[in-house]
Amino acid sequence: MVDTHCHLSYKDYDNLEEVIEKMKNHIIIISGCDRSSNYEVMELCQKYSNIYGCLGIHPESVSSATEDDLAYIEKNLDNSKIVGIGEIGLDYYWDKDNKEIQKKWFNRQIELAKKYNKPIVVHSRDAIQDTYEILRDSKHNKIDIHCYSSSLEMAREFIKLGAKLGIGGVLTFKNSDKLKEVVKNVDLQHLILETDSPYLTPEPYRGKKNEPYNVYYVALKIAEIKNISIDTVLEETTNNALTLFDLNFKL
Ligand code: NI
């Protein structure tokens, strides 16, 4: 299994070693959001062989971001454990007043990804149309739309750009009919698994802290919705993730 998007930090887990140990036969891709989380991404992926990292400035962090933060990301892109840029994107739910600043940082980080031929992990909340237009215009095609939550119609547009849809714990929630519709109608080749730990814990553990191992329960739900075996889901989504993040080995 590959958890293609989560946040692991010593401040969020007092049993971090244990959480990582549980994934020892699997891969975890952690994303940074700002200066300090990017430092921690570097630290954790050097320390654990099954952890890879993405570095990025999250839209909620752009107001305090500096040129140095961008330079830090660029400087570390040649590290073999850094496999992408993320999490980046647009968030008009928390912040509507700085749309132009968010777009500027999103575009600059996409440019960096293009320059180094890296995938991007994209956060989009209440901003799906602008996210789509920026990605379309960028002509970058290594894209993970993390925690995809928009319509089936929009999903098809993103897939045309070459994007993979990151499917997480929300799929297991009772009120997720729209996402279930997406998963049912989109071919497995376009889907990857994620947890967004420590948030968005899937059923049957909703209410507890999320952890990467719980991608299993997301896969189980995908298998149920698509009426296929869990092994097929795990194998295919793992291959999709390994291809997108250019991790060239077999698990
Ligand atoms: Ni996230």
Side-chain angles (χ1 to χ4, degrees):
M1 307 193 288
V2 184
D3 182 357
T4 57
H5 178 80
C6 62
H7 308 275
L8 295 184
S9 171
Y10 287 105
K11 72 173 166 28
D12 292 323
Y13 294 89
D14 41 28
N15 61 340
L16 193 61
E17 308 281 331
E18 208 179 294
V19 161
I20 294 167
E21 171 70 16
K22 224 162 138 183
M23 284 291 279
K24 67 172 186 273
N25 298 319
H26 307 283
I27 288 178
I28 305 172
I29 302 176
I30 52 178
S31 277
C33 292
D34 56 17
R35 186 178 317 166
S36 62
S37 56
N38 284 333
Y39 291 161
E40 202 168 10
V41 165
M42 287 304 296
E43 191 187 319
L44 288 171
C45 63
Q46 309 296 330
K47 190 167 170 194
Y48 297 97
S49 62
N50 63 329
I51 298 188
Y52 292 81
C54 296
L55 302 173
I57 310 291
H58 189 284
E60 283 174 59
S61 302
V62 293
S63 307
S64 58
T66 66
E67 291 303 314
D68 281 353
D69 297 335
L70 200 66
Y72 181 80
I73 294 171
E74 181 163 14
K75 185 181 81 182
N76 287 294
L77 286 178
D78 65 351
N79 186 305
S80 63
K81 296 302 291 286
I82 297 301
V83 294
I85 297 190
E87 103 179 55
I88 63 176
L90 301 173
D91 192 317
Y92 300 164
Y93 178 84
W94 292 110
D95 245 327
K96 295 185 203 30
D97 303 329
N98 66 348
K99 286 185 181 178
E100 291 315 309
I101 302 172
Q102 289 192 35
K103 286 182 189 173
K104 185 189 88 178
W105 279 92
F106 189 24
N107 273 311
R108 290 186 71 188
Q109 294 180 92
I110 295 170
E111 284 313 309
L112 211 52
K114 284 174 71 176
K115 185 173 165 190
Y116 292 89
N117 195 25
K118 295 280 185 189
I120 51 176
V121 177
V122 177
H123 170 105
S124 180
R125 191 164 184 197
D126 288 358
I128 200 74
Q129 190 60 34
D130 282 0
T131 304
Y132 171 73
E133 285 170 16
I134 286 176
L135 291 173
R136 180 197 60 199
D137 296 346
S138 78
K139 307 242 184 320
H140 192 43
N141 61 4
K142 291 184 164 187
I143 304 164
D144 164 13
I145 308 291
H146 125 68
C147 198
Y148 185 76
S149 59
S150 194
S151 66
L152 175 59
E153 194 186 13
M154 208 62 203
R156 291 188 166 129
E157 294 305 316
F158 281 111
I159 287 167
K160 278 187 212 158
L161 302 181
K164 302 288 179 211
L165 309 179
I167 307 296
V170 173
L171 185 68
T172 68
F173 298 172
K174 276 202 183 70
N175 59 353
S176 68
D177 291 349
K178 195 166 74 170
L179 184 58
K180 291 190 176 92
E181 191 65 16
V182 170
V183 165
K184 191 173 173 188
N185 288 287
V186 163
D187 195 284
L188 199 53
Q189 67 175 298
H190 306 298
L191 306 182
I192 53 180
L193 307 177
E194 65 165 66
T195 61
D196 205 13
S197 295
Y199 318 107
L200 298 173
T201 312
E203 296 290 359
Y205 297 112
R206 201 173 174 185
K208 292 194 177 156
K209 185 170 290 177
N210 206 0
E211 58 172 279
Y213 191 82
N214 289 340
V215 282
Y216 180 78
Y217 299 98
V218 178
L220 208 55
K221 196 70 188 177
I222 294 177
E224 183 193 313
I225 292 169
K226 293 181 103 44
N227 197 19
I228 54 179
S229 74
I230 175 89
D231 289 348
T232 304
V233 175
L234 293 175
E235 191 182 330
E236 224 181 298
T237 55
T238 296
N239 283 333
N240 297 343
L242 296 180
T243 305
L244 177 64
F245 290 95
D246 204 16
L247 298 168
N248 45 17
F249 53 86
K250 274 252 167 222
L251 277 180

